[in-house]
Amino acid sequence: MKKLLLILAASAATAGTAFAQTPATAPAPAQTGTSAPDQLAQRRAQYLGKELGLTADQQTRLAPILMAQRQQLQLLREQRTTGGRKQGTAQDLKASEARADEQIKTVLTPEQFTKFAQMRDQQREKIREHRANNAAAPTGQPE
């Protein structure tokens, strides 16, 4: 009888901790800060539609191009992190961007593409500044 009570108490204690460690429901991807690549590409197409004054047809044609570009970048990122492949990555990135630009040029007007390129260049400059600021700041020391 004592053994049975001891076993019941032990299983109740372990079951309680097991429930405490696992969430009742898994959070949706939007709640964790990540989205599916197709959702990201769709949001990017909508953003560009607003910023560049795209028609609905242009947005529809642009979304798959952005999706393919995002998938290509993800593939290159995975190759670099899992395979340790670093050589040639910059050339692969430039080639991927050039292919995407050629496809995007078929969708956008020349004026829209010019503004698109300017927006991309501005974003890159912000990233460079951010990286430079983070590299200049000492790590682990309060400011």
Side-chain angles (χ1 to χ4, degrees):
M1 185 70 169
K2 290 181 183 181
K3 286 184 182 181
L4 180 61
L5 289 175
L6 183 63
I7 292 172
L8 285 175
S11 60
T14 57
T17 59
F19 285 120
Q21 292 178 359
T22 58
T25 59
Q31 294 173 338
T32 61
T34 60
S35 297
D38 58 337
Q39 291 173 336
L40 293 172
Q42 191 64 35
R43 280 193 294 182
R44 178 77 175 153
Q46 289 172 352
Y47 170 77
L48 290 173
K50 185 178 84 171
E51 292 296 316
L52 302 174
L54 303 181
T55 64
D57 180 55
Q58 284 177 311
Q59 281 187 28
T60 303
R61 292 172 47 206
L62 189 62
I65 297 169
L66 296 173
M67 177 65 183
Q69 183 183 25
R70 185 168 291 279
Q71 288 173 338
Q72 179 65 29
L73 293 175
Q74 182 66 31
L75 178 65
L76 290 172
R77 187 177 296 123
E78 287 173 5
Q79 287 175 348
R80 184 167 188 224
T81 57
T82 59
R85 180 178 175 268
K86 293 182 182 178
Q87 190 145 5
T89 302
Q91 292 86 358
D92 291 343
L93 286 170
K94 287 181 182 183
S96 175
E97 183 178 313
R99 281 191 302 272
D101 281 354
E102 288 303 315
Q103 293 174 338
I104 291 170
K105 279 183 184 178
T106 64
V107 176
L108 303 180
T109 66
E111 297 82 18
Q112 289 170 332
F113 186 78
T114 301
K115 187 172 180 183
F116 168 78
Q118 289 172 347
M119 290 169 56
R120 182 180 56 205
D121 292 344
Q122 289 172 351
Q123 183 64 30
R124 284 185 182 155
E125 187 58 35
K126 286 180 184 177
I127 290 170
R128 283 186 193 110
E129 289 173 6
H130 179 73
R131 286 181 180 163
N133 291 338
N134 285 343
T139 57
Q141 296 179 2
E143 295 182 23

